[in-house]
Amino acid sequence: LFKQLTNKPNVLFSELINRVDQIDSIPKESPETFSWTKQWYPLAVSEYTDKTKPNELDLLGNKIVLWHDGNKWNTFADVCPHRGVPLSQGRVEKNGELLCAYHAWTFNSNGKCTNIPQVDEKIKESLLENSKTCAIVYPTQELQGLIWVWGEG
């Protein structure tokens, strides 16, 4: 547009400025805009991914942890909601839950915290029901031998 306007000798400078200002008013998001986070990404080959431990991966610049609960693959943001420690440094328990290595909080495949060992039994239930104790879950599926993860949690 700038080149078109500047090649015309009769165009006033003020008109040029007005037209350039119109470019900024065009919405940046449109239905045709590609959204990187609203896509499935193949992140691992299931046959070669260790089911016995949490696997640290990157997805669109975000650290995530991929783990198997004995039935299916699961993906969380690689951060414990308690102290921000990477969940990938933890372990998968025999019951299929993911255990944080720092304070031993455990999480089920839905991201719900299922145990906080340091808390008195009287208040444990209310803490476990609090959404702030939940891990951030990324939708995950296994298809055609690949583990696919949705771009946002």
Side-chain angles (χ1 to χ4, degrees), residues 1-13 15-16 19:
L1 178 65
F2 182 78
K3 192 173 186 178
Q4 292 173 351
L5 292 174
T6 54
N7 287 338
K8 296 180 182 178
N10 296 339
V11 174
L12 296 173
F13 184 73
E15 185 180 344
L16 177 66
R19 293 211 182 163

Side-chain angles (χ1 to χ4, degrees), residues 44-122:
V45 178
S46 57
E47 179 181 353
Y48 300 114
T49 307
D50 192 346
K51 289 183 175 183
T52 64
K53 68 177 191 75
N55 299 276
E56 178 186 358
L57 298 169
D58 287 308
L59 175 62
L60 302 175
N62 298 311
K63 298 283 185 198
I64 59 172
V65 58
L66 176 69
W67 57 285
H68 199 274
D69 64 9
N71 296 314
K72 63 181 178 58
W73 289 102
N74 305 282
T75 306
F76 292 167
D78 194 12
V79 58
C80 180
H82 178 225
R83 293 287 184 197
V85 174
L87 290 170
S88 59
Q89 293 178 1
R91 69 174 184 244
V92 179
E93 296 285 87
K94 289 180 180 162
N95 65 359
E97 294 184 342
L98 185 61
L99 179 131
C100 177
Y102 194 62
H103 281 122
W105 286 26
T106 55
F107 302 90
N108 66 18
S109 61
N110 297 322
K112 184 178 185 309
C113 184
T114 58
N115 189 30
I116 303 172
Q118 303 82 4
V119 175
D120 185 70
E121 291 297 322
K122 294 175 186 174

Side-chain angles (χ1 to χ4, degrees), residues 7 24 39:
N7 287 338
D24 291 335
Q39 309 296 325

Side-chain angles (χ1 to χ4, degrees), residues 126-138:
S126 65
L127 285 175
L128 294 177
E129 294 303 319
N130 189 330
S131 63
K132 291 181 180 180
T133 63
C134 294
I136 298 170
V137 179
Y138 285 76

